Amino acid sequence: MARSRALIPTSIWRRPDFVAMNAEPQWLYLTLCTQPHLSQAGVLPLTLNRWASMSTTTTPADIKTSLSEMQDAGYAAIDYGTEEVAVRRLVPPAGYKQLQGAMADTTRINSPRLRLFALDQLNDMGHDSHRATAAERRGFPAMRIRVYTRDRFMCRRCSWAPHKPDGYDGRHALGEISLDATGDYRVRVLELDHIHPKSRGGAFTFANLQTLCSACNASKGASV
């Protein structure tokens, strides 16, 4: 069923990474977020001509340029091979049923890379990137690759390891969505964990970070 409304937080204009984009990709982001057929996982078919037709001064080439800038800023992920676009989510699902619907839509994404992007947005436990300083966020993908590589892309507590796609650059989560015996969708992802907790002064450094799966990280909490 097509959506009749979209929820975009007014705080978007206080986000430095959004304000830093040019007006064209800002317009395109708001346009994509208000498309009636945007899936609950935040994914749309790639339709450059149709989006360009929504403005009398915009061409398909302009849309492609704006998509590239959105992707560089972390507000979209594009797969020209599967002709899909995933849009960054700023508002989490409103409730359990909405979360389940979003999880179901994530399993229908054709692009493995976009599936990971969408999974990253829906991971309500999250990793430390959303709590990091601006400098830490800029260096987060490179640090994630370093730590995951050292730990062989597996949880240091339970040794669980998800599939790692070719060309993985650390920008998005690595994880899997599965259907359990009750018919519910379960998400499990690799996360960076502070060995000495950040809440107790632990630093965002290579030596103080380890790879844990979301289940082990949740059970560890703020313990060492």
Side-chain angles (χ1 to χ4, degrees), residues 5-223:
R5 64 188 67 188
L7 184 60
I8 301 174
T10 58
S11 60
I12 192 172
W13 300 108
R14 296 194 299 273
R15 301 182 70 93
D17 52 358
F18 186 80
V19 175
M21 289 195 296
N22 291 319
E24 292 80 4
Q26 289 178 346
W27 170 85
L28 183 59
Y29 176 80
L30 298 177
T31 299
L32 298 187
C33 285
T34 52
Q35 292 302 297
H37 296 290
L38 181 73
S39 78
Q40 293 185 75
V43 175
L44 279 166
L46 182 65
T47 54
L48 301 180
N49 291 332
R50 190 167 74 84
W51 298 334
S53 70
M54 295 178 181
S55 168
T56 58
T57 60
T58 304
T59 67
D62 295 331
I63 296 293
K64 195 169 184 178
T65 299
S66 294
L67 280 173
S68 179
E69 187 170 340
M70 284 173 57
Q71 182 166 252
D72 290 342
Y75 279 86
I78 314 157
D79 193 319
Y80 288 101
T82 62
E83 297 185 330
E84 295 171 300
V85 175
V87 181
R88 179 175 175 181
R89 300 174 62 95
L90 297 180
V91 178
Y96 180 75
K97 288 186 177 179
Q98 288 76 13
L99 177 61
Q100 294 297 93
M103 291 298 180
D105 280 354
T106 301
T107 65
R108 301 184 184 105
I109 300 172
N110 293 318
S111 168
R113 185 168 60 84
L114 267 57
R115 195 177 304 128
L116 291 174
F117 181 90
L119 174 61
D120 207 14
Q121 310 305 304
L122 292 171
N123 175 22
D124 58 357
M125 294 182 200
H127 43 65
D128 286 327
S129 61
H130 69 284
R131 293 184 291 270
T133 65
E136 288 172 354
R137 283 195 297 273
R138 286 193 295 272
F140 192 88
M143 179 66 80
R144 176 148 60 179
I145 285 287
R146 289 183 63 201
V147 176
Y148 283 5
T149 300
R150 180 198 65 199
D151 296 340
R152 297 182 296 171
F153 287 85
M154 66 173 59
C155 176
R156 289 178 64 170
R157 285 200 168 190
C158 71
S159 299
W160 175 80
H163 169 70
K164 179 174 74 69
D166 294 338
Y168 178 67
D169 60 5
R171 292 181 64 179
H172 312 306
L174 279 179
E176 295 176 357
I177 301 174
S178 60
L179 199 63
D180 66 15
T182 66
D184 289 337
Y185 287 95
R186 301 297 181 190
V187 178
R188 196 177 190 185
V189 299
L190 288 183
E191 299 177 350
L192 284 188
D193 169 66
H194 285 72
I195 298 172
H196 184 71
K198 188 172 184 178
S199 60
R200 300 183 184 181
F204 185 77
T205 61
F206 182 67
N208 191 48
L209 293 170
Q210 64 178 343
T211 304
L212 293 183
C213 72
S214 50
C216 290
N217 201 7
S219 65
K220 174 179 177 287
S223 61

